[in-house]
Amino acid sequence: MPETLSHAEAQLRFNELTLPCPKDLTLAALLAAQGVQATQVATAVNGEFIPCTQREATVLQPGDTVLTFQAIVGG
């Protein structure tokens, strides 16, 4: 019978780190907690680009993989 994830198992990947994934953690809150200057990076969750405008509404789940990367703008 499947059991609810324990606190120790409720984790996500953030770049190269494994971190706890508390309930209702948003992408914006994770970035702030990790000291990331959110305006300086682009983000993806499980390989899907998440625009800055959607970070506050993006609730992370245990097992998610979050990547930050330098946005490249050219012309």
Side-chain angles (χ1 to χ4, degrees), residues 31 38-44 49-50 52 55 67-72:
L31 295 175
T39 59
Q40 302 298 313
V41 297
T43 53
F49 172 72
I50 306 295
C52 296
R55 292 177 184 168
L67 296 175
T68 60
F69 49 96
Q70 200 66 34
I72 299 173

